[in-house]
């Protein structure tokens, strides 16, 4: 179902085509069944002035034996005045081969594939270089107007847009289009290969299992992004690759360190319960507020005890004085007092 080298029959077919498109063939990638159709998606707005749209495409993973979708994205060209020519799948010699995309001063031949977003199968009408700056045709290109203001509108290029989304050229059901005179003329232009950022972006897509056609059935969940996903590839790629080159030198010192490293994590774990002990100490201040509460009822009990003690002797003392007063009425019943009183009175009269 697949081959790892380009067959001689494919080279012969390319030479018979009388074009130099064969220089764009990616040697080593050939598949015996066609890739899925180009999915229809909404282009994200251009986030930075001067970026150019790189349309999404189906790539091949030899290990998985399946096509996977590389999302479209906005990217900075390697130099001012450079355009992007998308890659495409071409049928020849009984196999489908991948023709790698490239940067150049003109948009070259890309198999007549309708990638959308300005790449309708021939040339690029989503924008153009003018005076050292890239202008965007907002009739077919979405931009962030708060950032990108160098725009124009040209709706004439949209008149003959086809809805064909076949992703390969030639073969059964493929796009039957050969390079025109303009595209043949620009085949001699200076070309710049894909940048490392573009290559990393494709690697990230290959690591995403949901991007494979067998799982998404030709409908990827992420057909396009605003920027290349290189930031995601750096944390993912170093994980399997960086430890290998970085470990050889640390491994020389780690034979003695693993025991130390294993003890060190145990110590902080034993220290953590120690930090809980001061939290247990916090309940101790609670008895202190309880003690003054116990002391308060004690003076309340002493006060009622002292008050009745003072009142009872005060009532007994006047009780002793009343018997003295009772002595006077007690003398009246005796009768002897009154005669003495009378005698006293008589005495007084006698005195007079």
């Amino acid at each position: 179902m697949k081959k790892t080298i380009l067959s001689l029959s494919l080279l012969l077919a390319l030479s018979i085509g009388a074009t130099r498109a064969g220089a764009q063939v990616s040697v080593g990638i050939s598949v015996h069944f066609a890739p899925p159709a180009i999915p229809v998606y909404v282009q994200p707005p251009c986030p930075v002035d001067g970026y150019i749209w790189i349309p999404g495409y189906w790539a091949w993973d030899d290990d998985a034996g399946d096509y996977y979708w590389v999302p479209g994205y906005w990217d900075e060209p390697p130099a001012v005045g450079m355009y992007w020519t998308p890659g495409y799948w071409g049928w020849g010699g009984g196999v489908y081969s991948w023709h790698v995309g490239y940067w150049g001063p003109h948009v070259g031949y890309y198999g007549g594939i309708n990638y959308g977003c300005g790449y309708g199968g021939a040339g690029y009408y989503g924008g153009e270089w003018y005076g050292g700056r890239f202008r965007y045709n907002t009739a077919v290109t979405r931009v962030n107007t708060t950032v990108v203001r160098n725009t124009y509108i040209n709706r004439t290029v949209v008149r003959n847009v086809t809805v064909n989304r076949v992703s390969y050229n030639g073969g059964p059901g493929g796009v039957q289009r050969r390079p025109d005179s303009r595209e043949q003329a620009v085949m001699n232009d200076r070309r710049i290969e894909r940048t490392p950022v573009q290559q990393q972006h494709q690697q990230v897509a290959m690591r995403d299992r949901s991007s494979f056609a067998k799982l998404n059935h030709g409908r990827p969940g992420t057909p396009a992004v605003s920027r290349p996903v290189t930031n995601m590839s750096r944390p993912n790629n170093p994980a399997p690759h960086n430890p290998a080159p970085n470990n050889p030198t640390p491994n020389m010192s780690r034979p003695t360190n693993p025991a130390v490293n294993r003890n060190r994590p145990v110590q902080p774990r034993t220290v953590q319960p120690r930090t809980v002990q001061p939290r247990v100490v916090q309940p101790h201040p609670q008895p202190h507020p309880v003690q003054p509460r116990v002391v308060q009822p004690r003076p309340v009990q002493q006060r009622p005890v002292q008050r009745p003690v003072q009142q009872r002797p005060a009532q007994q003392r006047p009780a002793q004085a009343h018997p003295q007063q009772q002595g006077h009425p007690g003398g009246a019943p005796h009768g002897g007092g009154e005669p003495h009183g009378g005698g006293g009175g008589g005495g007084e009269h006698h005195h007079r």
Side-chain angles (χ1 to χ4, degrees), residues 187-320:
M187 288 181 181
N188 295 324
D189 288 344
R190 180 175 63 94
R191 299 182 180 183
I192 299 178
E193 297 180 355
R194 294 182 305 162
T195 64
V197 171
Q198 293 178 282
Q199 296 177 12
Q200 292 176 9
H201 178 78
Q202 180 173 339
Q203 292 175 1
V204 173
M206 184 176 61
R207 295 178 185 276
D208 183 8
R209 306 308 302 175
S210 64
S211 65
F212 283 81
K214 291 181 181 179
L215 297 178
N216 58 42
H217 305 289
R219 297 179 179 178
T222 307
V225 292
S226 296
R227 299 171 185 263
V229 199
T230 55
N231 291 334
M232 294 180 59
S233 66
R234 290 176 182 175
N236 291 337
N237 291 340
H241 296 292
N242 285 352
N246 292 338
N247 283 341
T249 52
N251 283 340
M252 300 302 295
S253 59
R254 284 185 181 176
T256 56
N257 289 337
V260 178
N261 293 334
R262 291 178 182 176
N263 294 332
R264 290 180 180 175
V266 176
Q267 291 179 356
R269 291 180 183 176
T270 55
V271 174
Q272 290 179 357
R274 294 179 183 176
T275 57
V276 179
Q277 293 180 357
R279 294 181 182 177
V280 179
V281 177
Q282 292 179 358
H284 291 287
Q286 294 180 357
H288 295 288
V290 176
Q291 291 179 358
R293 291 180 183 178
V294 178
V295 174
Q296 289 178 359
R298 290 179 181 176
V300 174
Q301 293 178 357
Q302 292 176 359
R303 289 178 183 176
V305 173
Q306 293 177 358
R307 289 177 182 176
V309 172
Q310 292 177 358
Q311 290 177 356
R312 288 177 182 176
Q315 292 177 357
Q316 293 175 357
R317 289 177 184 178
Q320 294 176 359

Side-chain angles (χ1 to χ4, degrees), residues 34-92:
I38 301 295
V40 179
Y41 56 88
V42 178
Q43 180 189 42
C46 180
V48 180
D49 188 13
Y51 274 27
I52 294 180
W53 178 249
I54 311 298
Y57 57 94
W58 290 103
W60 175 260
D61 184 7
D62 217 21
D63 295 332
D66 190 17
Y67 291 97
Y68 63 93
W69 179 255
V70 180
Y73 57 97
W74 292 95
D75 194 11
E76 182 181 8
V80 176
M82 288 291 175
Y83 292 91
W84 173 252
T85 298
Y88 70 97
W89 289 95
W91 184 87

